[in-house]
Amino acid sequence: MSNFEPLMARLEEGKSWFVSQLEFRSPEEAIRPLGRDEWSLAQHIEHLMIVERATLLQWTRASDPMPKRTPVQQLKRRMVRSIMRRGIKVPVPTKEAEPSSTPDVQTLLADWDKLRVKFQGRLEKAPSPNVVVFPHPVAGPLNARESLEFLADHMQYHQKRVGQLLGR
């Protein structure tokens, strides 16, 4: 199976960046919205974890064959990737990925560590490239590699959004 280490390294770099953003903030600051109609830093982290957890769950259950992509699906996939790499604000495409109103930062960080350990343990048992792992609501079906690429791009998107909101 493909080497996923560069993608996991991108995910770990992103996680480290978010943890560093929390380093000098009180729990109250971490749950304060970063702007009008914006999430807090803790909510961004919780959202990232929700998506990672869902992807891991689907990774372990993946069995549906990868369908042939239509030109429209290929265009949507490129569009989603481009938007995420630029940090353009878009609504969450599914309610299940919405964070809670005031997540507990310490619990989030502990759970994120556990989630990453589980994901690392599953890399050896990666589904075939011909199997759908993550059916993205806009980009369409993604296989294992594409799912990790999505998670890394998704992490980058939230880093850019938070960085913009913090004025960095």
Side-chain angles (χ1 to χ4, degrees):
M1 187 39 63
S2 299
N3 180 354
F4 297 122
E5 291 309 313
L7 293 168
M8 290 305 293
R10 278 183 64 200
L11 286 171
E12 201 54 41
E13 286 171 25
K15 179 178 175 248
S16 295
W17 184 88
F18 276 96
V19 170
S20 75
Q21 298 307 304
L22 289 169
E23 204 167 43
F24 300 105
R25 287 181 173 72
S26 68
E28 294 78 24
E29 289 175 301
I31 62 171
R32 187 176 308 129
L34 297 175
R36 190 168 157 246
D37 296 324
E38 297 290 348
W39 288 344
S40 68
L41 182 56
Q43 286 175 305
H44 279 272
I45 292 169
E46 184 179 33
H47 168 74
L48 289 165
M49 289 177 56
I50 290 167
V51 175
E52 282 186 36
R53 190 176 292 119
T55 303
L56 177 60
L57 183 62
Q58 291 169 351
W59 182 285
T60 61
R61 297 178 177 172
S63 63
D64 291 339
M66 193 72 174
K68 183 172 168 66
R69 286 196 179 100
T70 67
V72 171
Q73 285 175 319
Q74 290 173 346
L75 177 64
K76 284 181 177 182
R77 187 164 172 252
R78 285 192 308 270
M79 177 191 70
V80 166
R81 198 160 196 203
S82 175
I83 287 169
M84 284 196 297
R85 288 181 175 219
R86 290 189 180 122
I88 300 166
K89 185 177 180 178
V90 293
V92 176
T94 177
K95 280 288 193 199
E96 292 83 17
E98 293 278 348
S100 62
S101 59
T102 56
D104 179 73
V105 174
Q106 294 308 315
T107 302
L108 282 177
L109 295 178
D111 288 350
W112 209 358
D113 287 340
K114 291 175 193 171
L115 179 59
R116 285 295 171 84
V117 168
K118 287 179 185 177
F119 223 128
Q120 282 290 107
R122 288 290 181 172
L123 292 179
E124 298 296 321
K125 303 169 189 161
S128 157
N130 302 320
V131 173
V132 175
V133 168
F134 182 57
H136 188 276
V138 178
L142 305 174
N143 66 24
R145 175 166 281 298
E146 294 164 343
S147 295
L148 286 178
E149 287 170 351
F150 165 76
L151 288 176
D153 290 345
H154 185 241
M155 178 76 71
Q156 182 178 349
Y157 167 82
H158 284 278
Q159 279 181 263
K160 285 190 182 220
R161 290 286 307 135
V162 169
Q164 290 165 353
L165 293 166
L166 293 175
R168 296 190 179 149

